[in-house]
Amino acid sequence: MLYLAALLVHCVPLAMGQYDICKSWVTTDDGPSWEFYACQPKAMRMKDYVTVRVDPAGITCGDPPERFCTHENPYLCSDECDASNPDLAHPPKLMFDSEDEGLATYWQSVTWRRYPEPLLANITLSWNKSIELTDDIVITFEYGRPTIMMLEKSLDNGRTWHPYQYYADDCMEAFSMPARRVRDLSTTSANRVLCTEEYSRWAGSKKEKTVRFEVRDRFAIFAGPDLKNMDNLYTRLESAKGLKDFFTVTDLRMRLLRPALGGTYVQRENLYKYFYAVSNIEVTGRCKCNLHANLCTFKEGSLQCECEHNTTGQDCGKCKKNFRSRSWRAGSYLPLPNGSPNACAAAGSAFGNCECYGHSNRCSYIDFLNVVTCVSCKHNTRGQHCQHCRLGFYRNSSAELDDENVCIECNCNQIGSMHDRCNETGYCECREGATGPKCDDCLPNYYWRQGCFPNVCDDELLLCQNGGTCYQNQRCICPVGFKGVLCQQSRCEVDKKDCDGAPAAGGSPAAVALGVLALQLRGWVDL
Ligand SMILES: *[C@@H]1O[C@H](CO)[C@@H](O)[C@H](O)[C@H]1NC(C)=O
Ligand SMILES: *[C@@H]1O[C@H](CO)[C@@H](O)[C@H](O)[C@H]1NC(C)=O
Ligand SMILES: *[C@@H]1O[C@H](CO)[C@@H](O)[C@H](O)[C@H]1NC(C)=O
Ligand SMILES: *[C@@H]1O[C@H](CO)[C@@H](O)[C@H](O)[C@H]1NC(C)=O
Ligand SMILES: *[C@@H]1O[C@H](CO)[C@@H](O)[C@H](O)[C@H]1NC(C)=O
Ligand SMILES: [Ca+2]
């Protein structure tokens, strides 16, 4: 009964027609014109567009051929994996094919023959496109689910990775985390990364095969148990910081950390029954198009939004050329029900001919000068058209005028430079003795100490005399009996009382050394 209910819930489409058109031709009192709306592509089966990588090299079974057993019948070890035989091979692509009724096809790892060395495998899925998850990620394991695994995600095509969910039969032992359930999360913790024990316990390898990342349960926190109140979810996605990004990925990685153990400890005499086998990875989501497209197509090996609203880019993340009189903005789900398109506007359409290169949303007319000028230029720009860099910034020569990175901070060293401005190539103006583009170095014959100062002593021209040593070009450390900047003065000459009772100290270091040598020699001769 419960099972049936779950099935029914699964059949309800997620976005029921909401935000599925970008514009429509409407007739108003002023005649017909386009009206624009926030829009997004339909959810798709993302496994059809994925590239997969399995690590480490040699983790896939069958090279050389090997046999494996099952937990149910560990003594019937007839199954064999052989990479060179298509009927017996288990390559990674079998995690993404469509399963024919009954017969599961699966990727399989080597067995745990190297026990007690851990049996580790990474399965990395990459789309080269940001994707918004709309339904649970479901991973199906044949022959038992791992006792420990971890799901990671990347938002930047695999440059950086973040934990997404931890899975273990004992969360405390495996990850030092308390076990939690997504169902128990609240509106304020809907994007918490947690450890769950629900998908790792042994229940027989045929019975419970799936490991989930529960997107729907997290959506249900806002949209209600049957996701009826999607409006509330969309409102939250707009307002709650980080919530949208939580469901956005470019890559996913399953880190398999310990295979199914059959509900008991590892039996070393039969390691053929420990391995990973994944028959399917279901990822349902839509292309992230920043609410500027309702179509996403697979072109030249990559998913690509078909951008509207005069936006462009893989995610419709910028304005088309000649449509940059305002800075780019994502569309918004709000106000309900049609949202705001936040379309890009043609240069010249805003106010007379005021181009702001996308660094300002507003122009203002200055009466007594009779000019229109951009207001509140962003991205460290300034000027009538936001075409200059603010003081303390310089022009990035590899960026176009409408690029967010067009102005680079000068970053002049506060002590070494005259002021915080720099020339067009980022060079600061240095105080005396300082050098380097940012004035944070000293010229030769200068030393750094809260600024550059001329050397007091060195190893060439400004030698410390009378056996003194030069300390960091800042001062001579003089032997007893000498003073002066270069230890050039004998204290005895300056003040007669310094000579009293200390003849040895009054002599030069060479004389002292000779005296000591003489004393030692005499001692040796005496013996
Ligand atoms: C799996 O990926 C993680 C980084 O996410 C890396 O530290 C680890 O070494 C990888 N493991 C294997 C077996 O390649
Ligand atoms: C990723 O997508 C971009 C934009 O479509 C494309 O230029 C690039 O070649 C793709 N990279 C790979 C590795 O497919
Ligand atoms: C985009 O630009 C075209 C002109 O090329 C214009 O007809 C259209 O209305 C613009 N769309 C939006 C959403 O501003
Ligand atoms: C200069 O602009 C390019 C293009 O946008 C950008 O990749 C680069 O990071 C910018 N350089 C600096 C130092 O910000
Ligand atoms: C900026 O200053 C540096 C150092 O003084 C100089 O080499 C460079 O030519 C200057 N660049 C421009 C554009 O004036
Ligand atoms: Ca399969």
Side-chain angles (χ1 to χ4, degrees), residues 496-515:
K496 281 282 179 277
K497 110 171 143 0
D498 278 346
C499 312
D500 290 345
S508 72
V512 173
L514 265 179

Side-chain angles (χ1 to χ4, degrees), residues 22 42 82 107 133 152 163 177 204 213 216 305 326 328 347 361 403 421 436 444 498 502 504 516 522 527:
C22 298
K42 291 213 174 358
D82 181 353
W107 166 79
L133 300 176
E152 293 181 320
M177 291 171 80
F213 179 78
R216 294 179 76 93
C305 300
R326 282 185 227 145
W328 174 91
N361 285 326
D403 196 311
R421 276 162 287 166
D498 278 346
V516 170
R522 213 173 58 204
L527 276 172

Side-chain angles (χ1 to χ4, degrees), residues 423-428:
N423 75 6
E424 291 114 88
T425 43
Y427 278 80
C428 304

